[in-house]
Amino acid sequence: MKKYLLISFLFVCFKSIACTCIMGSPSQIYDDYDYIFTGKVTDIKEYYPNSKRVKQISFSIEENFKSEIDFRLINVDRPDGMCPIPYLVLNSSYIFYVNKVDGVVNISICNPTLRLEKSKKKLDRYKLYVKELRLIKEAIFDNEETIVFDNIIKNSISSGRRFARGITKYLDANFKKEDYKSDLDFYLVVFDDTDFKSNHLVICKSQGDKIDGAIKKYIKSEEFLTYLEKIKVKYKSSENLMLPILIQKPLSDLD
């Protein structure tokens, strides 16, 4: 039987003066939502009274990254004070993150749903998040082993809407744009026993000797070993544990 474990993401909202939405790593966000897909708003079914704010939409699906989609309407929560909520526009495309509660599918406040926009910076970010979702889906569904997808390794990157508070390790080396073979990839750290005492690296798609070397060095570091001590209590009963590590080129360096 396949067994998949993902770490829940952290959400904090302060309503007094301003609202702070704290989101974790891409896989933490992935774990927190029932349905994740790219799609287009095909019709606005309802607005909130005396408002231009959308209350309910219908949509088309472009690419699905998680659960089978068995609904055709999405409700949108009313904005609550300073807490942000995605603004949905007819005929626009989005990466949708939605949950179903008591049979009702909705987008809530501090939701990471992202609109596809034309500016290069926003378009690059949108494409990057789609690639992240494809890699996470691949790591989960194309491997039979238990998956704990918790670490992101980046080289100096601002995550924009994510306000990254997840477990993030910055590569110690000062890599240049040409040191990356692609803007995003993942490596697998494979553990041969449930005590996490024996591990080796599987290079799924090499980013090049410099970055491969940095990953190899990191998984043998005291910092990584300390991290393993923290998570092995939670996953001590897991068998054939694999820990994917996501590596990402800085957004400012994307072509």
Side-chain angles (χ1 to χ4, degrees), residues 5-22:
L5 299 175
L6 296 172
I7 311 299
S8 298
F9 106 121
L10 178 63
F11 167 85
V12 178
C13 181
F14 300 100
K15 292 199 213 175
S16 54
I17 299 176
C19 180
T20 301
C21 299
I22 299 178

Side-chain angles (χ1 to χ4, degrees), residues 37 62 69 71 98 110 119 128 133 144 149 161 164 172 178 191 193 201 206 221 223 233 235-237 243 248 254:
F37 60 94
E62 295 169 359
I69 298 170
F71 54 90
V98 296
C110 288
S119 72
L128 184 68
L133 289 168
E144 295 183 0
F149 203 128
R161 67 188 172 93
D172 297 327
E178 54 267 25
F191 300 91
D193 55 67
L201 183 69
S206 173
S221 69
E223 180 179 359
V233 175
Y235 300 108
K236 62 183 178 181
S237 62
L243 177 63
Q248 181 175 304
L254 291 178

Side-chain angles (χ1 to χ4, degrees), residues 126-138:
Y126 184 96
K127 289 179 178 179
L128 184 68
Y129 292 163
V130 169
K131 289 181 180 180
E132 284 179 352
L133 289 168
R134 287 173 182 160
L135 286 180
I136 293 170
K137 180 180 178 181
E138 177 184 344

Side-chain angles (χ1 to χ4, degrees), residues 5 13 39 71 73 90 135-136 146 158 166 183 189 197 219 221 227 243-244 254:
L5 299 175
C13 181
F71 54 90
L73 296 176
L90 184 63
L135 286 180
I136 293 170
T146 298
S158 171
D183 53 309
V189 184
K197 291 180 180 178
I219 69 168
S221 69
Y227 167 69
L243 177 63
L254 291 178

Side-chain angles (χ1 to χ4, degrees), residues 22-58:
I22 299 178
M23 302 184 187
S25 68
S27 60
Q28 290 170 320
I29 296 174
Y30 184 95
D31 190 42
D32 200 64
Y33 289 90
D34 300 327
Y35 306 92
I36 303 173
F37 60 94
T38 56
K40 180 178 289 188
V41 177
T42 57
D43 191 18
I44 297 176
K45 296 293 187 180
E46 187 178 356
Y47 290 91
Y48 281 101
N50 303 315
S51 172
K52 294 182 179 180
R53 281 284 182 175
V54 173
K55 184 176 182 180
Q56 188 181 74
I57 65 162
S58 60

Side-chain angles (χ1 to χ4, degrees), residues 79-251:
D80 186 5
M82 297 293 291
C83 295
I85 196 162
Y87 189 81
L88 301 184
V89 178
L90 184 63
N91 296 323
S92 289
S93 294
Y94 295 83
I95 303 174
F96 287 100
Y97 296 80
V98 296
N99 281 322
K100 181 186 285 188
V101 180
D102 296 329
V104 177
V105 178
N106 81 303
I107 294 175
S108 58
I109 59 175
C110 288
N111 182 287
T113 290
L114 181 69
R115 183 183 177 187
L116 173 60
E117 299 186 55
K118 293 182 178 179
S119 72
K120 186 178 185 307
K121 183 177 180 180
K122 292 182 178 180
L123 180 61
D124 285 344
R125 180 173 288 118
Y126 184 96
K127 289 179 178 179
L128 184 68
Y129 292 163
V130 169
K131 289 181 180 180
E132 284 179 352
L133 289 168
R134 287 173 182 160
L135 286 180
I136 293 170
K137 180 180 178 181
E138 177 184 344
I140 294 173
F141 293 105
D142 289 358
N143 292 283
E144 295 183 0
E145 295 85 352
T146 298
I147 295 293
V148 179
F149 203 128
D150 189 47
N151 265 20
I152 318 173
I153 295 192
K154 304 175 183 177
N155 176 24
S156 183
I157 183 171
S158 171
S159 62
R161 67 188 172 93
R162 288 199 168 129
F163 307 97
R165 302 288 198 278
I167 298 175
T168 302
K169 164 68 180 174
Y170 291 88
L171 294 178
D172 297 327
N174 183 23
F175 295 112
K176 298 179 181 178
K177 182 177 179 179
E178 54 267 25
D179 292 330
Y180 295 85
K181 286 189 176 181
S182 63
D183 53 309
L184 189 74
D185 255 315
F186 74 90
Y187 297 74
L188 289 177
V189 184
V190 180
F191 300 91
D192 299 322
D193 55 67
T194 55
D195 289 330
F196 298 178
K197 291 180 180 178
S198 177
N199 66 282
H200 57 278
L201 183 69
V202 176
I203 300 177
C204 303
K205 298 176 184 178
S206 173
Q207 281 279 26
D209 292 341
K210 289 184 178 179
I211 295 176
D212 291 353
I215 301 294
K216 291 176 182 178
K217 180 180 178 182
Y218 172 61
I219 69 168
K220 299 298 182 182
S221 69
E222 188 65 32
E223 180 179 359
F224 188 69
L225 294 176
T226 300
Y227 167 69
L228 293 180
E229 285 297 318
K230 292 180 180 179
I231 67 171
K232 81 176 185 180
V233 175
K234 186 169 185 178
Y235 300 108
K236 62 183 178 181
S237 62
S238 300
E239 297 179 359
N240 301 319
L241 180 70
M242 302 177 72
L243 177 63
I245 297 178
L246 189 69
I247 182 163
Q248 181 175 304
K249 182 190 295 186
L251 282 177

